[in-house]
Amino acid sequence: MRFTSRFKENAATVGNGLLFAVALTTPVVLGVAFQAFSLVSAASFGAMFALLIAPRHGALARVVGISAGGLLVVLAAALGIALQGRHDLVLVLLFLLSWLAALPRPDQAYLGLMVKYVASSVLLTSFGFSATLPMALAFLGGIALGICLSLASMLFEADDATTPLEEFKAFLHGATNGRLFGVAVPVTVLFSTLAARYFSFSDPAWVGLTVLFVMHSDGATELFRIWARTLGTLAGVLVSAVILYNVTAPLHIAVAIGVAAFAMPYAKGHYVLFSFVITCAVLLLIDISMFQMGGDMSLLRWRLIDTVIACACVLLSNLTLRLIRRLRHRGEPPAGQAA
């Protein structure tokens, strides 16, 4: 009985690994075939986004949930582009979206990821990321591929999660993180992003984006994520640099992307490993998209610096939250004592 259960679990992980590999490498192959290198990363990120955000609860929930999330990300990118140069409005919008991203609890996986990706889309585009209509269409094409692959995964996955609608109803009825944490996240995102821009970092948005995905409501978990994210990203940047220094053909790089993508389902629950494989996949995809401009080698050092600075900001924010909570508890009467 235990062997059968273990076999099914391993089969599901292998199946998901193959789907992730197909999702990330198919756009690369098509991009090479049609010499459309600038669209590669957008399509691959769309497919990866679809598989990461896919609700594990039936075909309808997957199709509607992924489609709605993809459209919101594209609309957020368009809004970010429209607000370029209007820094005050961008900061207000970034604060509001970061606040919303901080509210869903860890068990509200779909809602939390969707809001984080929407906030990231606004952050990247409003700070100068050159998103275009062909890139948006490529992203939506990747979304369509991801939907098909997610439906295929139902052959070996069991429905074991709530639907996006159930998560949203729980959220509206107060199932959220605390208000203090809800304020801490947008403040940290704004502080880290503005600091990176003030010191002329190559991509200030990368710092704020990292804060969004590292900050967590659980203090112990968050401290683990900080060092795990830093260590995993450091390893990912170094390995990506070695690969890109020695390999120049896009199809050869696609093999490395496929290996990293295949490892993603195995890396779930192991934050160091997940940070490592997703860093490798993202950096290699960005390099291929910049193939006709000489690649991304010159920016790899900045990717590492951005992540380290973001993790330092999260650590400072986390320690500040702990101090505030400790001071609050110190002023409370002991348990059982009358007020």
Side-chain angles (χ1 to χ4, degrees):
M1 193 76 172
R2 183 179 298 176
F3 174 78
T4 303
S5 176
R6 190 70 175 270
F7 177 80
K8 289 182 178 179
E9 181 181 343
N10 289 335
T13 305
V14 171
N16 275 319
L18 291 173
L19 293 180
F20 269 92
V22 171
L24 270 66
T25 57
T26 298
V28 176
V29 174
L30 293 175
V32 172
F34 293 100
Q35 295 292 294
F37 294 104
S38 63
L39 305 181
V40 165
S41 60
S44 292
F45 288 149
M48 183 172 67
F49 165 82
L51 290 179
L52 289 174
I53 203 174
R56 295 182 61 178
H57 198 94
L60 181 60
R62 292 170 190 254
V63 174
V64 175
I66 296 172
S67 300
L71 288 174
L72 283 175
V73 168
V74 171
L75 290 175
L79 180 59
I81 292 173
L83 293 177
Q84 285 181 358
R86 307 178 70 176
H87 299 301
D88 292 339
L89 287 177
V90 169
L91 293 178
V92 171
L93 179 61
L94 182 57
F95 186 93
L96 291 174
L97 289 174
S98 301
W99 172 69
L100 287 175
L103 294 180
R105 301 187 313 193
D107 58 305
Q108 297 165 333
Y110 171 83
L111 193 59
L113 276 176
M114 188 189 71
V115 181
K116 285 180 180 179
Y117 281 117
V118 167
S120 299
S121 183
V122 170
L123 182 62
L124 288 170
T125 53
S126 62
F127 274 79
F129 178 73
S130 57
T132 62
L133 179 57
M135 291 179 69
L137 295 176
F139 180 81
L140 292 176
I143 291 286
L145 173 62
I147 290 175
C148 295
L149 295 174
S150 179
L151 293 177
S153 72
M154 294 178 64
L155 296 173
F156 45 81
E157 276 185 356
D159 293 344
D160 61 357
T162 57
T163 65
L165 183 59
E166 290 170 336
E167 287 188 15
F168 187 66
K169 287 181 178 179
F171 179 82
L172 291 180
H173 285 84
T176 64
N177 288 320
R179 287 176 293 179
L180 182 61
F181 181 76
V183 173
V185 172
V187 169
T188 308
V189 169
L190 286 180
F191 172 79
S192 61
T193 304
L194 291 176
R197 189 174 68 175
Y198 178 80
F199 289 107
S200 301
F201 278 34
S202 67
D203 191 356
W206 193 276
V207 182
L209 183 151
T210 302
V211 171
L212 276 173
F213 284 91
V214 172
M215 285 200 77
H216 196 276
S217 58
D218 186 311
T221 303
E222 186 176 334
L223 288 175
F224 169 76
R225 284 191 174 201
I226 294 169
W227 75 261
R229 177 64 181 258
T230 305
L231 181 61
T233 302
L234 171 61
V237 172
L238 293 176
V239 170
S240 298
V242 171
I243 293 173
L244 295 177
Y245 184 80
N246 292 282
V247 180
T248 56
L251 289 179
H252 294 165
I253 297 174
V255 174
I257 293 172
V259 172
F262 180 79
M264 286 182 187
Y266 288 93
K268 285 186 177 180
H270 303 278
Y271 205 66
V272 176
L273 181 58
F274 189 78
S275 296
F276 167 69
V277 296
I278 202 165
T279 297
C280 286
V282 168
L283 293 180
L284 295 176
L285 282 170
I286 291 175
D287 187 82
I288 291 179
S289 69
M290 300 173 65
F291 180 74
Q292 293 174 321
M293 296 178 285
D296 191 41
M297 278 293 292
S298 61
L299 296 178
L300 284 176
R301 179 174 60 90
W302 279 110
R303 305 299 185 207
L304 177 60
I305 295 174
D306 293 343
T307 302
V308 171
I309 295 299
C311 289
C313 291
V314 173
L315 177 61
L316 177 62
S317 179
N318 176 263
L319 295 177
T320 303
L321 284 175
R322 288 187 170 202
L323 177 61
I324 293 174
R325 287 168 179 159
R326 185 175 299 176
L327 292 175
R328 277 184 172 182
H329 290 318
R330 185 176 296 176
E332 294 176 354
Q337 181 176 320

